[in-house]
Amino acid sequence: MARERSGRTVAHLVLATRLKTLREAAGMTRGEAADALGAHTATVRRIELAETSLDEGQVHTLLKAYGAGFAEIEEVLGQLARANLPGWWHPWRSVMDSWQLDLMSVESATSIIRVWEPALVPALLRTPAYARAVDDVRRPDLSPEARDQRTDLLMERQRRLRDRKTRLWALMSAAALNTTVGDAEVMNDQRLALRAAAERSDVALQIHPLNGPLHVMTGMPTVTLYRVDVPEIPDHAVREGTLPGTADVSNSLHTVTAYHMLLDHACVIAPHPDKSKEALTP
């Protein structure tokens, strides 16, 4: 699967797509745009795919070549200046997995997140104590301070998604409810948090029982799908790796559609969210 390119954000992708649209509307080829820029055609291609940083001078030159007016040039350059500002997650970048760095921009523009979690509580539904206890076991390579920061980041992600009213549709195995993470108090608080989340209108939680039938995602690692509500940005799929901190990220239509179909099949077999609430009742 294709990995996200470092530094590529949703805002940069939107601007890159706009530059391509303006070039095509002006009836110019990439070669002609490159001539106006005094660069190679490959440079224009990379700019339009946001495979390189968007330089203010280059963008200004291209906009003038495409016949953009003063107001439009000012608007685009203003958008570029805002896009170049650090993302809200910038303070946590040192403790983030590499694949997360670009994906935070996508997550921040997401309208629906779907996730399959085979053995634990999905990350976006974890309590701070549960999340920290998971990292204590899975990420012994990190310092205690780094693990604290990662927990803080996760809580901030959850808060921002709630504020955006991003819908979360989570399918998890009941194995998570039978696996002690931390201690009994951590697990009790996590159950209470899951029960509260299941009552929210922006959350659909399905819990596949331990004695439930085999489904197409049984044994598959954690998979997360992002439905982005920005027309220029494709949906994304993330399949977490077996090694800590690794994942495959793809925005290929074929790959994303395949995972959507797998999740659809698994969700049909799993109990309805109302039944899943009963599984969380003491």
Side-chain angles (χ1 to χ4, degrees), residues 126-139 142-152 154-155 181-182 186 190:
R126 291 174 188 170
T127 64
Y130 186 100
R132 174 56 196 266
V134 170
D135 260 1
D136 283 344
V137 174
R138 286 191 162 183
R139 299 306 303 267
L142 299 175
S143 69
E145 293 76 18
R147 280 174 255 161
D148 284 342
Q149 286 182 290
R150 284 168 61 87
T151 299
D152 292 342
L154 179 59
M155 295 306 106
V181 175
V186 170
Q190 181 62 74

Side-chain angles (χ1 to χ4, degrees), residues 224-235:
T224 307
L225 299 177
Y226 295 86
R227 170 65 57 82
V228 185
D229 54 7
V230 178
E232 296 88 348
I233 311 302
D235 294 349

